[in-house]
Amino acid sequence: MSDSASPSTSVSLSEPADIPAVLNRAGIDYVGVHDQRLLTIYRTGIFNVVTEPEPVSNACTLEIECWEAPLPSRGDGRSPQELLDDLAAVFERGDKA
């Protein structure tokens, strides 16, 4: 599914966040994999979110990787990296926007 060319980013939050709660507030679907990992579906793309060593319920750092690019008809012409940056911004603002 993933390869070394997949875009990825690191996000450092100023305070711990409940990642599933942030996604719920943003209306973004996700599936919990284990305490430090979840998969989220953003604009039909699949993104891997890892919070090790912290649990997703109380994380300060995230590693986000685009596992599968959005369908061309749903990507709004944006690259996987641009969508990854948009998703990272959701976490950085805690979905307060």
Side-chain angles (χ1 to χ4, degrees), residues 12-61:
S12 293
L13 305 174
S14 58
E15 58 186 50
D18 182 339
I19 301 308
V22 170
L23 292 170
N24 284 332
R25 286 191 300 269
I28 298 173
D29 293 327
Y30 68 92
V31 175
V33 176
H34 59 69
D35 288 347
Q36 290 119 1
R37 180 173 168 221
L38 54 84
L39 299 175
T40 186
I41 298 95
Y42 182 68
R43 299 190 185 247
T44 74
I46 300 173
F47 295 86
N48 183 44
V49 179
V50 178
T51 62
E52 290 181 319
E54 304 142 336
V56 295
S57 62
N58 192 35
C60 284
T61 58

